[in-house]
Amino acid sequence: MFDDSVQVRCRRCRSVFRERARRLQNGYSRQCPTCEVVLFFDEDSHDQIIRRAMKSARQVRAALREAEMEQPRRKRVLRGGRGTGSRGGSYEAEDSA
């Protein structure tokens, strides 16, 4: 499966930890697990490390949305003709929808 986390570097102690991309949005704050300084995440931050983490999170969220959009399509194809009342439905019939 796809990794849904982003690496974040603490501005104070320079340690690296991972945070879920869905959480990293404007206004989110998180304590560094090593030095316990509070990091505030904002797209317009002056801190380049924070901006880089926000950009990575945005890219991961886009990839996750793309994967979610692709997943229902695959389920329809794998299910075959399930909604048609036939037992051995054709895979091509569902793919064209």
Side-chain angles (χ1 to χ4, degrees):
M1 188 65 191
F2 190 73
D3 186 21
D4 67 341
S5 62
V6 174
Q7 281 190 342
V8 178
R9 181 178 295 235
C10 177
R11 68 173 181 263
R12 181 174 169 206
C13 68
R14 300 292 184 210
S15 67
V16 177
F17 60 94
R18 297 193 74 78
E19 184 63 46
R20 291 185 182 231
R22 293 187 192 266
R23 291 183 184 169
L24 288 183
Q25 305 218 5
N26 281 338
Y28 180 72
S29 61
R30 168 107 164 43
Q31 268 189 319
C32 171
T34 305
C35 69
E36 298 182 354
V37 70
V38 177
L39 301 172
F40 293 95
F41 294 92
D42 187 15
E43 296 278 340
D44 301 326
S45 175
H46 295 293
D47 190 353
Q48 184 180 9
I49 295 170
I50 297 295
R51 285 196 316 264
R52 186 177 303 137
M54 294 293 283
K55 182 179 180 182
S56 296
R58 197 170 46 246
Q59 292 170 345
V60 169
R61 285 193 304 269
L64 288 171
R65 277 193 302 272
E66 176 102 10
E68 287 173 1
M69 295 298 288
E70 188 65 27
Q71 190 174 18
R73 177 193 275 166
R74 276 193 237 132
K75 284 184 181 178
R76 272 198 314 263
V77 171
L78 293 176
R79 241 189 312 216
R82 202 154 197 200
T84 63
S86 65
R87 288 191 175 260
S90 169
Y91 289 100
E92 288 111 18
E94 289 294 318
D95 194 32
S96 63

